[in-house]
């Protein structure tokens, strides 16, 4: 039986399968393991099933036991793993695409709506039970029939587009490559991000975190957005320059922001927390029972296939 380290608790359905298939070291207390703990607990393991919060940079990878041949990430994003460093050491890296597309697209729409309809301020007024209804009370920005820019038109971006069509929105997108018309479904392609921003009354960020997308929304590029734009980020915190965004939210350039992901999460830039025009969630993108079970199964499938000597279909390096 192959030996693996599982860095966080899995749902019972996944845990049972892991224990049936592998000699698995579990983290019963479900505490966040430090890199040193991951290195030492995996020292005689053949593989590691980890989560996005486990960082595997070049240095950490260089300290992993040579027995470790696969890192199966329980997430679609894998910016926590230096895949080139892993490849250099002959370690396969896999992720869990497809299964979390719908759940994450739902959260993107929730962020857009929560931000544009001022859900955070609304909750505060409702809790205080003292609001005074008036015709101009907490007026939001309506999504219906507006232009939606989607940054990153992969599976999740396309699922956001599908939902946004229900609001009558005109869909624009920027992606490395233009999609075929059967995937575009009428969405308008922008070869560069700035041209997308110009059209984006609403902007949904759904691209991976890479060197190219780090701080893609910054002091200079935010200026391209229409005044009073609404922005939602369900991808990775790194894509927004927080300082520039906070400034734009204060000046009114940005009407409201919806965030599920943060630079350096779970910490959040304290300046954000002073702003009423922020609707925020604690990284819930894939957090439904069905999706989390499917993510676990996908990560386990990848380990199983790999240990049979085949290339897992989700191998990213
Ligand atoms: C969640 O953020 C994921 O990448 O799966």
């Amino acid at each position: 039986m192959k030996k693996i380290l599982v860095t966080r608790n899995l749902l019972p359905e996944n845990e049972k399968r892991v224990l049936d298939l592998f000699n698995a070291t579990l983290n019963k207390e479900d505490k966040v393991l430090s890199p040193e703990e991951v290195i030492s607990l995996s020292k005689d393991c053949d593989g590691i099933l980890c989560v996005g919060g486990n960082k595997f940079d070049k240095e950490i990878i260089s300290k992993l036991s040579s027995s470790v041949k696969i890192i199966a990430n329980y997430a679609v994003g894998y910016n926590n793993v230096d895949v080139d460093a892993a490849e250099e050491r002959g370690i396969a890296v896999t992720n869990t695409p497809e299964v979390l597309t719908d759940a994450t697209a739902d959260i993107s729409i929730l962020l857009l709506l929560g931000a544009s309809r001022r859900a955070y301020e609304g909750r505060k007024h409702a809790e205080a039970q003292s609001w005074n209804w008036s015709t101009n009370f907490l007026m939001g920005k309506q999504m219906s029939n507006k232009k939606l820019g989607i940054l990153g038109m992969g599976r999740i971006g396309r699922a956001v587009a599908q939902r946004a069509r229900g609001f009558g929105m005109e869909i624009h997108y920027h992606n490395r490559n233009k999609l075929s018309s059967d995937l575009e479904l009428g969405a308008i392609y922008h070869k560069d991000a700035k041209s997308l921003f110009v059209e984006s009354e609403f902007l949904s960020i759904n691209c991976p975190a890479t060197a190219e997308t780090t701080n893609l929304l910054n002091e200079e590029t935010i200026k391209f957005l229409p005044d009073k734009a609404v922005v939602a980020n369900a991808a990775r915190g790194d894509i927004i320059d927080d300082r520039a965004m906070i400034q734009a939210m204060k000046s009114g350039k940005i009407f409201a922001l919806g965030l599920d992901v943060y630079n350096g999460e779970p910490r959040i830039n304290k300046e954000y927390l002073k702003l009423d025009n922020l609707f925020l969630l604690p990284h819930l993108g894939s957090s439904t029972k069905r999706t989390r079970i499917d993510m676990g199964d996908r990560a386990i499938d990848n380990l199983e296939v790999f240990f049979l000597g085949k290339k897992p279909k989700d191998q990213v390096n």
Side-chain angles (χ1 to χ4, degrees), residues 75-77 100 236 283 295:
V76 65
L100 43 69
R236 285 291 182 269
H283 205 144
M295 288 166 71

Side-chain angles (χ1 to χ4, degrees), residues 173-187:
Y173 73 99
H174 167 66
N175 211 33
R176 259 185 311 235
N177 300 308
K178 186 174 174 353
L179 302 180
S180 57
S181 54
D182 57 323
L183 293 179
E184 252 179 5
L185 297 170

Side-chain angles (χ1 to χ4, degrees), residues 73-79 96 100 104 234-236 261 283 285-286 295:
N73 207 34
Y74 177 101
V76 65
Y78 50 88
N79 57 315
T96 60
L100 43 69
T104 309
R236 285 291 182 269
V261 290
H283 205 144
S286 62
M295 288 166 71

